């Protein structure tokens, strides 16, 4: 096979959190950068189960998916399994305008809004938890050396693949759950961070496959066990690239802008949760005492909080400012990283626009408080099902108004169709279905 015959897969991270696209010969890259590959509007309605609910497009319409050479990889896989080549791209109308349901375009719009509103940008890093389908260390190895050693070769191969893709791995560890591991990567500017999160998911699956393994990023595999979260670390920078999240005199160390940004996320969290925890089984994980998130609270170094102020190891002010960040914990890998980060940036920008005061960090077990006690502090229990979360999203003129009207209709129809596809399946059967899908 000659180099021009090599195939490049151009992809979008769609509203199901799936990476879909088409391949073309490498020899055609220059022309495909200009004109893209053909795409169909109804593709946005394909659920994670490969069903297609009724949507607004039917058999009509044409789009193009245009590759971005700056967002992809050409990586040799272990065990002589060949090379993986992918470029993320933007879905556009035939006249070149961004398509209303392109998640990458939606993130770019949110980034532009935050810059317009506050002259700020977001730097982000994603933590991903996932589980192997079989094998692994014996019980009792949570965070253990033997647990790590059982998958050391995999972790090293994955780290090499990420570096070859231009992604900087940070840590790899044996997590608490059965066959569960975590991979983290270094922070990047918002669009690049979301692109890297997609690349990480696909490379994790590819490296596992090349080594005779299978992994899943499904939100939870067993209703009685732990789940797989996606945690998003965020910090703010001004237009000169200076850190803008920390203030020595701010509540919890948050600057005025960061406090309003955090308040915006928490104020709208019940209405936006359907976009960050977008599977039917996401809500089995978002319960008290699972180290996930069950309330719209800010926590100071609290892993039960929806938004956590993270610790720093520095002592000098400049170094503290560079390290200081907040972590969003009410998310999982059923969400497109682009859509996940877009909704958080929109919510933060809304908080800055509205001049919201920074929330007070909580320090107690909120599950022990009565609803009226929570309400007095601006806290609520988060939606407890995808159906409830979708109703909150649909009923919020503010949150649904952050998107093109077509996108809101499409998202609601898509996700309600996903729920319908599950029928009367039991919780365990639903977990198994998502395990296969992700």
């Amino acid at each position: 096979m000659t180099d021009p015959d090599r195939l490049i897969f151009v992809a979008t991270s769609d509203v199901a959190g799936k990476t879909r696209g088409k391949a073309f010969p490498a020899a055609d890259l220059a022309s495909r950068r200009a004109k893209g590959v053909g795409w169909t509007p109804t593709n946005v309605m394909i659920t994670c189960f490969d069903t297609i609910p009724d949507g607004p497009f039917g058999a009509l319409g044409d789009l193009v998916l245009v590759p971005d050479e700056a967002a992809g990889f050409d990586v040799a896989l272990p065990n002589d399994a060949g090379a993986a080549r992918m470029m993320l791209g933007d879905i556009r109308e035939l006249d070149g305008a961004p398509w209303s349901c392109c998640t990458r375009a939606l993130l770019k719009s949110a980034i532009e809004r935050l810059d317009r509103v506050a002259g700020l940008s977001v730097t982000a890093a994603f933590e991903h938890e996932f589980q192997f389908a079989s094998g692994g260390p014996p019980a009792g190895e949570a965070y253990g050396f033997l647990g790590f050693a059982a998958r050391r070769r995999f972790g090293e191969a994955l780290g090499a693949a990420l570096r070859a893709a231009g992604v900087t791995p940070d840590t790899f560890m044996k997590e608490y759950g059965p066959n569960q591991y975590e991979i983290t990567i270094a922070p990047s500017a918002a669009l690049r961070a979301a692109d890297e999160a997609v690349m990480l998911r696909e490379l994790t699956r590819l490296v596992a496959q090349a080594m005779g393994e299978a992994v899943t990023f499904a939100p939870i595999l067993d209703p009685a066990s732990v789940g797989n979260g996606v945690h998003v670390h965020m910090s703010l920078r001004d237009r000169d690239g200076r850190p803008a999240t920390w203030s020595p005199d701010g509540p919890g160390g948050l600057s005025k802008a960061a406090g309003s940004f955090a308040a915006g996320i928490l104020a709208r969290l019940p209405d936006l949760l359907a976009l960050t925890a977008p599977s039917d089984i996401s809500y089995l994980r978002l319960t008290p005492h699972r180290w996930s998130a069950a309330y719209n609270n800010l926590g100071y170094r609290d892993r039960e909080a929806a938004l956590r102020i993270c610790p720093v190891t520095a002592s000098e002010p400049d170094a503290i400012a560079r390290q200081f960040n907040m972590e969003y914990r009410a998310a999982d890998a059923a969400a497109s990283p682009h859509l996940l980060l877009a909704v958080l940036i929109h919510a933060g920008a809304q908080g800055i626009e509205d001049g919201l005061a920074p929330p007070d960090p909580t320090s107690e077990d909120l599950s022990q408080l009565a609803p009226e006690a929570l309400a007095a502090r601006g806290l609520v229990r988060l939606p407890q099902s995808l159906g409830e979360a979708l109703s909150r999203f649909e009923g919020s003129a503010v949150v649904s108004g952050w998107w093109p009207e077509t996108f809101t209709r499409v998202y609601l129809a898509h996700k309600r169709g996903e729920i319908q596809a599950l029928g009367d399946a039991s919780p365990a059967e639903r977990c198994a279905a998502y395990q296969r899908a992700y």
Side-chain angles (χ1 to χ4, degrees):
M1 180 175 63
T2 62
D3 187 77
D5 295 323
R6 300 165 71 201
L7 293 175
I8 298 172
F9 190 81
V10 57
T12 181
S13 174
D14 68 8
V15 299
K18 302 286 283 184
T19 306
R20 306 186 197 270
K22 287 184 177 181
F24 60 86
D28 297 341
L29 178 56
S31 64
R32 295 300 182 183
R33 281 199 311 260
K35 66 180 183 181
V37 299
W39 200 244
T40 304
T42 289
N43 288 354
V44 76
M45 295 304 300
I46 303 174
T47 72
C48 64
F49 305 126
D50 281 349
T51 60
I52 303 179
D54 289 338
F57 305 115
L60 301 176
D62 286 283
L63 302 162
V64 289
L65 176 55
V66 181
D68 181 350
E69 281 190 276
F73 54 77
D74 187 343
V75 172
L77 296 172
N79 295 339
D80 297 320
R85 305 173 195 92
M86 185 182 82
M87 290 181 187
L88 288 163
D90 299 290
I91 305 176
R92 298 178 184 169
E93 302 281 1
L94 299 184
D95 63 2
W99 187 46
S100 60
C101 296
C102 172
T103 59
R104 209 160 179 258
L106 293 171
L107 174 55
K108 291 177 182 180
S109 179
I111 291 168
E112 291 166 0
R113 179 189 181 188
L114 182 61
D115 178 74
R116 184 174 63 252
V117 166
L120 296 171
S121 63
V122 166
T123 296
F126 286 73
E127 297 180 4
H128 281 84
E129 295 167 341
F130 61 94
Q131 287 171 276
F132 286 86
S134 60
E141 277 301 312
Y143 312 111
F145 176 70
L146 290 180
F148 157 75
R151 303 293 187 189
R152 175 187 58 79
R153 288 184 62 249
F154 170 84
E156 290 172 348
L158 177 56
L162 290 169
R163 281 189 292 273
V167 180
T168 303
D170 183 40
T171 62
F172 176 77
M173 62 177 287
K174 170 66 180 76
E175 256 286 359
Y176 179 77
N179 286 323
Q180 185 183 43
Y181 288 77
E182 179 186 86
I183 179 75
T184 66
I185 53 179
S188 299
L191 180 62
R192 176 66 187 179
D195 289 344
E196 289 185 355
V198 176
M199 291 190 276
L200 179 145
R201 295 178 190 182
E202 298 311 318
L203 285 170
T204 302
R205 295 183 178 106
L206 288 168
V207 170
Q209 185 180 64
M211 299 180 74
E213 301 267 21
V215 299
T216 181
F217 289 87
I220 190 168
L221 305 191
D222 180 351
S225 187
V226 298
N228 296 307
V230 170
H231 303 153
V232 186
H233 291 260
M234 296 176 289
S235 61
L236 301 175
R237 291 185 178 272
D238 65 20
R239 286 176 178 157
D240 294 321
R242 293 174 301 207
T245 316
W246 177 71
S247 170
D249 303 319
L254 293 170
S255 67
K256 180 179 179 181
S260 293
F261 188 94
I265 292 173
L266 297 176
R268 304 295 176 183
L269 183 51
D271 301 333
L272 64 80
L273 191 63
L275 289 91
T276 72
S279 81
D280 177 82
I281 62 170
S282 297
Y283 298 83
L284 297 175
R285 190 180 77 86
L286 298 179
T287 58
H289 309 140
R290 282 183 183 264
W291 282 30
S292 57
Y295 301 89
N296 62 330
N297 64 313
L298 176 71
Y300 187 68
R301 306 180 185 177
D302 178 5
R303 288 175 173 81
E304 285 270 307
L307 197 62
R308 179 174 82 109
I309 299 174
C310 297
V312 297
T313 57
S315 57
E316 295 297 322
D318 288 348
I320 294 172
R322 288 193 299 271
Q323 284 190 16
F324 197 82
N325 69 92
M326 62 188 91
E327 176 191 33
Y328 181 79
R329 299 178 60 82
D332 57 57
S336 162
H338 297 87
L339 191 53
L340 166 54
L341 201 47
V343 74
L344 295 179
I345 292 173
H346 271 303
Q350 188 74 51
I352 293 172
E353 278 189 334
D354 294 343
L356 296 185
D360 294 323
T362 60
S363 58
E364 67 269 60
D365 182 355
L366 299 182
S367 68
Q368 300 302 308
L369 300 184
E372 54 270 22
L374 291 169
R377 298 168 60 180
L379 301 174
V380 296
R381 178 72 167 88
L382 295 178
Q384 296 176 56
S385 70
L386 179 57
E388 181 186 352
L390 290 168
S391 295
R392 289 293 302 253
F393 172 51
E394 184 176 28
S396 172
V398 173
V399 176
S400 61
W402 295 339
W403 320 99
E405 187 271 339
T406 299
F407 171 80
T408 301
R409 288 193 293 121
V410 161
Y411 192 82
L412 290 166
H414 178 118
K415 286 297 171 180
R416 285 170 174 156
E418 181 180 316
I419 295 171
Q420 186 176 15
L422 290 164
D424 296 326
S426 68
E429 290 169 334
R430 290 169 184 243
C431 288
Y434 280 103
Q435 179 178 354
R436 294 188 294 270
Y438 291 101

